[in-house]
Amino acid sequence: MNPALRGRSVVDMIEIEHLTKRYGKKTAVDDLSFTVKPGAVTGFLGPNGAGKSTTMRAIVGLDAPTSGVARVGGKHYSQFRSPLTEVGALLEAKSVHAGRSAYKHLLALAHTHAIPKRRVSEVIDVVGLSDVAGKRVGGFSLGMGQRLGIAVALLGDPAVLILDEPVNGLDPDGVRWIRELLKGLAAEGRTVFLSSHLMSELAQTAEHLVVVGQGRLLADTTVEDFIDGRGAGRVRVSSPDAAALAECLRGPGVSITSPQSGVLEIQGTEAAAVGQAAAAHGIVLHELRTDRGSLEDAFMEITADSVEYHQSKEGVSA
Ligand code: ADP
């Protein structure tokens, strides 16, 4: 753990209590309660329009809740005297002066928070913008803009990071980079909360998941339990004597299908039991593996009733 953060863990929790936000007749967030703890990356997962951005905006005081509260370390965001050094945020709506360079933009923010100049160069380096730091932000690509947004979030070395869809616009290298960056920040004891509508992305980055649909909490669990509890594991086995093996495995609660000749897919049993049954009956196996349900399957299953916008293409937002 980063020595600077030691002992701060309890006060760096994000707490959402009965948060509700209505825009006219539209309920964007509906009595949502959960906490985000330090020391792990927590993914905030939900289809477009599920209320993720609204919740994150409420955490950093950009949206006033209709009812309920959002606190960080027991305080409202407005109570922080130097917010950048306590909560770093990357939210979708950015207000960067297009004519300014990345360096000048960060420097101006650093000045208002008594953050030393060397920290500006440090974060520019961390986000990989050193070569373009002097260029006008107006000419930045979406990915470069995201990197600058992440630099802003990191500038005050905050113990809490809130990032709304941070991988948007990043190329595959950028996606890998941010994944490792966020895991590293969590390993230092920070609270890292990031949203995504990409279940595959969170599966590789987050340890914990808060899943929402139509503003309501659908799950608050570890990624592992989320996958195990949903799209159930399946044992896949191939054998030159598949028919005989199927006979040995039949039993209550076991379902066996054969997607192709010589291959069985079995639900309701473990790979070890399949291996043992084969050995006991002298049946040769060519392959034996467990296919865990993917996070994608689990996500589809849980949000099936709550998808507000059906997307024709990945990345198209509501
Ligand atoms: P997500 O981040 O999960 O995609 P949002 O929080 O952006 O979801 O939006 C949740 C719902 O609230 C959507 O139906 C959206 O259209 C609506 N909404 C968000 N912001 C506003 C606003 N400023 N005015 C009216 N409706 C809004």
Side-chain angles (χ1 to χ4, degrees):
M1 180 183 276
N2 182 334
L5 297 170
R6 194 169 291 142
R8 292 176 54 175
S9 55
V10 177
V11 297
D12 294 327
M13 246 168 38
I14 301 171
E15 294 165 290
I16 307 294
E17 276 176 28
H18 300 291
L19 188 75
T20 295
K21 175 69 186 179
R22 285 190 207 100
Y23 295 104
K25 283 189 181 150
K26 171 83 210 170
T27 303
V29 177
D30 191 358
D31 195 26
L32 197 56
S33 297
F34 62 88
T35 57
V36 182
K37 297 190 181 68
V41 176
T42 298
F44 195 20
L45 178 65
N48 284 318
K52 304 181 297 297
S53 300
T54 305
T55 304
M56 288 180 148
R57 289 169 60 83
I59 297 171
V60 298
L62 288 172
D63 262 343
T66 306
S67 60
V69 285
R71 290 191 216 95
V72 179
K75 291 193 284 190
H76 286 276
Y77 189 79
S78 60
Q79 291 172 285
F80 289 124
R81 268 181 294 152
S82 176
L84 265 192
T85 62
E86 315 212 45
V87 183
L90 169 75
L91 299 176
E92 275 181 307
K94 287 188 284 285
S95 55
V96 177
H97 195 302
R100 258 190 197 159
S101 71
Y103 181 79
K104 287 262 168 63
H105 175 64
L106 289 164
L107 194 61
L109 282 172
H111 277 324
T112 60
H113 282 71
I115 294 165
K117 206 171 166 180
R118 70 178 144 72
R119 178 66 185 158
V120 172
S121 310
E122 230 170 72
V123 290
I124 284 174
D125 203 33
V126 168
V127 303
L129 287 179
S130 303
D131 292 347
V132 294
K135 297 222 163 84
R136 284 176 63 249
V137 172
F140 273 19
S141 68
L142 187 57
M144 283 152 76
Q146 283 296 81
R147 285 176 187 261
L148 177 58
I150 292 162
V152 172
L154 295 176
L155 187 62
D157 198 19
V160 178
L161 281 153
I162 296 173
L163 308 148
D164 197 2
E165 301 270 1
V167 306
N168 267 1
L170 293 180
D171 58 20
D173 275 348
V175 172
R176 267 194 296 278
W177 162 74
I178 195 163
R179 200 177 284 156
E180 293 316 310
L181 175 77
L182 297 180
K183 285 185 191 170
L185 292 165
E188 289 174 355
R190 292 174 217 261
T191 306
V192 182
F193 188 42
L194 81 146
S195 74
S196 180
H197 63 284
L198 300 173
M199 31 284 170
S200 49
E201 181 46 42
L202 292 180
Q204 298 190 60
T205 315
E207 269 174 65
H208 201 91
L209 270 188
V210 173
V211 187
V212 285
Q214 292 195 342
R216 272 176 242 130
L217 187 72
L218 299 177
D220 180 355
T221 179
T222 62
V223 169
E224 211 172 284
D225 286 351
F226 186 65
I227 299 172
D228 285 349
R230 310 278 153 188
R234 201 169 42 188
V235 179
R236 187 182 159 94
V237 62
S238 78
S239 164
D241 211 358
L245 180 61
E247 281 312 308
C248 307
L249 295 171
R250 276 189 215 292
V254 177
S255 94
I256 304 169
T257 53
S258 179
Q260 67 195 75
S261 163
V263 176
L264 303 177
E265 282 181 352
I266 309 137
Q267 270 181 307
T269 190
E270 301 283 315
V274 175
Q276 262 167 14
H281 293 84
I283 295 170
V284 171
L285 299 185
H286 290 169
E287 188 191 10
L288 174 62
R289 67 161 198 254
T290 305
D291 287 337
R292 288 194 343 141
S294 69
L295 185 62
E296 183 128 12
D297 293 342
F299 176 69
M300 290 300 185
E301 190 187 326
I302 200 169
T303 59
D305 298 332
S306 67
V307 178
E308 181 177 353
Y309 299 98
H310 291 277
Q311 288 173 240
S312 55
K313 216 166 74 186
E314 194 66 272
V316 175
S317 62

